[in-house]
Amino acid sequence: MINFQYVRASDVSDAVRQIAADPTAKFIAGGTNLLDLMKEDVERPTRLIDISRLPLKTVEETADGGLRIGALVPNSDLAYHPMVEQRYPMLASAILAGASQQLRNMASTGGNLLQRTRCYYFYDTATPCNKREPGSGCSAIKGLNRMHAILGASEACIATHPSDMCVALAALDAKVHVTGPEGERAMAFSNFHRLPEHTPQLDTNLQPNEIVTAVELPPQGFATHYTYLKIRDRLSYAFALVSIAAALELEGGTIKKARLALGGVAHKPWRDTAAEATMRGQPANRDTFTQAADLLLRDAKGYPHNTFKIDLARRGIVRALTQAAQGSPQSQSSKSIL
């Protein structure tokens, strides 16, 4: 780990001024990802700006009945917050499916959005990686790629986004609030993370001199018909091979509204509104769910070690939607291939 300076931001405006003045600086809150990256020599900030004491730790109801979550709310606090448990239980389930209790106690909401891929080659500075060193190549394409992307990948990068929480936020159609030198702005969650294309070193559309201040949830939380299904190699402390956030609004046995997002399959949480649209007005049955899965995975592409993830994702989608339709709220983990 290199030497670095440590400073503390007094407020959001001060944090923005400090990050704008030093392009090599990084914000630090819980540090659950950044410190690992620094230890592995992947990140080399010359200055750490401590934002952990900024007043961004509240969960408040919005005027339209939604929820505004401060960027520094710890993951554990958010998962067990009464309004989240009651109105957005899919989000609570996704958070509790990730990491360990100790890490959830430290990890922040904003930091979860900004965590970087767990691609082995990204962490190994002895191997080429376009995310670490643009133009050097992607070692994963012809290497060990069992955990890697099957959707939205490019010739430059096949890494996946590691977050569980973000999969649920994508399905819930959240917004991300950020502040920079030009003031505040809000982004649709679907526009926050990026696909790799030719710039895999850019994970998000957050500008270098901006800070995430909050995540906003809309009023509808799909609290009755939902499931978060995480399929992984072991039942705890493992990243997803495939994860599915599924939510339905039903009228009788007919689907009025559907939400579907995948994790572990792309450079960002993967949501396909076309697949959701095909379910509207259809019966909540296996045929409908299979058609949606096929549409969502229509462009999926496997690599030598991860082609199995395509069928795994297809079966996982059908299973998650079936559980959501049954109205048996739950978070599911599985280490089998369904």
Side-chain angles (χ1 to χ4, degrees), residues 229-308:
L229 173 64
K230 181 174 183 178
I231 306 167
R232 45 187 165 176
D233 287 322
R234 58 181 187 269
L235 289 178
S236 67
Y237 201 62
F239 294 103
L241 290 167
V242 176
S243 61
I244 305 104
L248 299 171
E249 181 183 343
L250 302 179
E251 282 187 348
T254 301
I255 299 170
K256 184 177 180 181
K257 189 177 294 186
R259 297 285 177 81
L260 187 60
L262 303 187
V265 299
H267 198 257
K268 60 183 288 185
W270 191 266
R271 183 180 168 202
D272 188 334
T273 55
E276 296 172 354
T278 63
M279 291 188 276
R280 289 199 292 268
Q282 300 301 311
N285 60 29
R286 188 176 185 86
D287 288 343
T288 297
F289 302 151
T290 299
Q291 290 173 12
D294 288 342
L295 181 58
L296 191 149
L297 295 168
R298 63 193 180 280
D299 295 323
K301 174 187 175 182
Y303 293 86
H305 302 287
N306 77 347
T307 302
F308 75 95

Side-chain angles (χ1 to χ4, degrees), residues 13 16 20 33 41 46-47 56 77 90 124 178 223-224 258 277 296:
S13 296
V16 170
N33 186 206
D41 209 31
T46 58
R47 175 184 296 222
L56 302 173
D77 290 2
M90 183 168 62
D124 183 358
V178 306
T224 302
L296 191 149

Side-chain angles (χ1 to χ4, degrees), residues 102-281:
Q102 294 89 338
L103 287 172
R104 292 195 296 266
N105 287 341
M106 292 297 298
S108 65
T109 298
N112 200 302
L113 271 62
L114 297 170
Q115 62 180 307
R116 308 207 69 187
T117 184
R118 270 33 175 213
C119 173
Y120 329 116
Y121 301 103
F122 175 68
Y123 271 79
D124 183 358
T125 56
T127 62
C129 172
N130 286 321
K131 288 183 73 64
R132 245 190 304 103
E133 186 179 349
S136 63
C138 176
S139 297
I141 290 178
K142 295 184 178 179
L144 297 174
N145 45 42
R146 183 170 181 271
M147 299 294 293
H148 288 72
I150 56 172
L151 288 165
S154 72
E155 293 181 357
C157 182
I158 61 171
T160 58
H161 191 268
S163 173
D164 287 289
M165 184 184 83
C166 288
V167 182
L169 290 175
L172 289 168
D173 208 19
K175 291 181 182 178
V176 183
H177 292 265
V178 306
T179 299
E182 305 301 319
E184 299 180 6
R185 67 185 180 110
M187 277 187 282
F189 196 84
S190 59
N191 295 329
F192 184 76
H193 296 99
R194 296 168 57 98
L195 291 177
E197 298 179 336
H198 300 295
T199 55
Q201 72 276 15
L202 301 177
D203 292 331
T204 73
N205 286 310
L206 185 73
Q207 297 301 308
N209 54 8
E210 291 182 318
I211 183 174
V212 175
T213 56
V215 172
E216 183 180 342
L217 300 177
Q220 185 171 20
F222 298 92
T224 302
H225 295 280
Y226 75 91
T227 289
Y228 185 74
L229 173 64
K230 181 174 183 178
I231 306 167
R232 45 187 165 176
D233 287 322
R234 58 181 187 269
L235 289 178
S236 67
Y237 201 62
F239 294 103
L241 290 167
V242 176
S243 61
I244 305 104
L248 299 171
E249 181 183 343
L250 302 179
E251 282 187 348
T254 301
I255 299 170
K256 184 177 180 181
K257 189 177 294 186
R259 297 285 177 81
L260 187 60
L262 303 187
V265 299
H267 198 257
K268 60 183 288 185
W270 191 266
R271 183 180 168 202
D272 188 334
T273 55
E276 296 172 354
T278 63
M279 291 188 276
R280 289 199 292 268

Side-chain angles (χ1 to χ4, degrees), residues 18-50:
Q18 291 199 46
I19 200 75
D22 187 352
T24 66
K26 293 284 185 181
F27 291 132
I28 186 167
T32 54
N33 186 206
L34 178 59
L35 292 179
D36 281 345
L37 292 169
M38 291 174 66
K39 291 174 183 177
E40 296 294 335
D41 209 31
V42 176
E43 294 279 9
R44 298 172 61 86
T46 58
R47 175 184 296 222
L48 293 182
I49 303 170
D50 185 350

